[in-house]
Amino acid sequence: MAENAYVFFHPQYGGLRVVNYDGGLFFCLEDLVAITSIGRETLFPVLADTEGKVVEMYVEAETKKVPKDFTHRLFFGEFFGNADKVERKGKIAWRDMIFVDSQVVRDMTIGCSKDPERKLFYKWVKDFIQPVMEDEDSCWRYECVMMKSICYDPLKKPINIRYDVDGLYINDMRIN
């Protein structure tokens, strides 16, 4: 399953983790929140109104040393702020993560904001990431190294999205 995980890095926005699962692209919600600076009071109605998918995936990666030239292609890399929240056992790191499809990305950027920065970010996703992912000759350049597995079982448990005083929670994971 290592061929399903990708990391894209933009000099202005930073890193964005993408999973190609069963023919659909899913984007890490944690990265999207950090890039767009969307607040929980805005994100909650977007998730409630969107026609897109919000899913929880279990991600496992190996933690062996990699050459410096490949560190930007690690799924739990240092430039992702919450890399320290990864659980580790021996040479394996794992974590449950929330991912959203491109419709949710559109609703988070174009649908709920007049901010030109968010609109430019969406253009990067739509005009660069999605075409790269459709081109088998190009997407290997963004493949994650050291991936073990990605599991998604939509029947495992329902997505529980709730807005609380101290943050937005999806399946008991605090988003922002």
Side-chain angles (χ1 to χ4, degrees):
M1 288 237 182
E3 69 274 9
N4 290 332
Y6 302 86
V7 174
F8 290 87
F9 186 79
H10 188 280
Q12 182 178 354
Y13 308 123
L16 179 60
R17 292 171 278 199
V18 179
V19 171
N20 187 354
Y21 197 90
D22 202 24
L25 290 183
F26 291 91
F27 304 86
C28 178
L29 184 59
E30 194 175 292
D31 300 342
L32 293 170
V33 167
I35 290 168
T36 62
S37 302
I38 191 169
R40 63 181 182 239
E41 62 282 339
T42 305
L43 182 58
F44 184 68
V46 166
L47 294 177
D49 290 340
T50 188
E51 293 292 320
K53 288 184 181 179
V54 179
V55 299
E56 182 177 355
M57 293 186 189
Y58 174 79
V59 180
E60 277 187 339
E62 297 178 29
T63 59
K64 299 177 198 167
K65 285 277 192 192
V66 296
K68 203 172 212 173
D69 295 345
F70 292 99
T71 56
H72 66 284
R73 290 176 47 189
L74 291 171
F75 204 76
F76 297 126
E78 294 304 317
F79 60 86
F80 295 114
N82 290 324
D84 57 325
K85 292 184 180 178
V86 176
E87 296 181 42
R88 297 179 189 277
K89 184 172 184 181
K91 299 281 185 194
I92 301 292
W94 70 89
R95 191 174 164 203
D96 285 325
M97 300 175 73
I98 303 296
F99 288 85
V100 296
D101 68 1
S102 57
Q103 179 62 47
V104 178
V105 175
R106 185 182 192 294
D107 293 342
M108 284 176 68
T109 53
I110 303 292
C112 76
S113 176
K114 297 194 183 330
D115 181 10
E117 288 295 322
R118 285 193 200 168
K119 291 180 180 183
L120 287 172
F121 167 73
Y122 180 72
K123 286 182 181 278
W124 176 57
V125 170
K126 184 175 79 66
D127 296 339
F128 180 75
I129 294 176
Q130 289 179 339
V132 164
M133 293 300 297
E134 292 169 2
D135 183 9
E136 291 179 13
D137 295 331
S138 297
C139 67
W140 66 268
R141 294 181 185 120
Y142 301 94
E143 272 183 315
C144 287
V145 294
M146 311 304 288
M147 286 303 294
K148 184 164 169 64
S149 68
I150 299 170
C151 302
Y152 164 52
D153 184 1
L155 303 178
K156 185 174 132 185
K157 60 182 172 183
I159 292 293
N160 177 22
I161 302 172
R162 63 186 168 84
Y163 181 69
D164 217 345
V165 177
D166 64 335
L168 178 66
Y169 291 85
I170 300 178
N171 287 4
D172 295 326
M173 282 184 261
R174 188 169 187 267
I175 301 301
N176 63 354

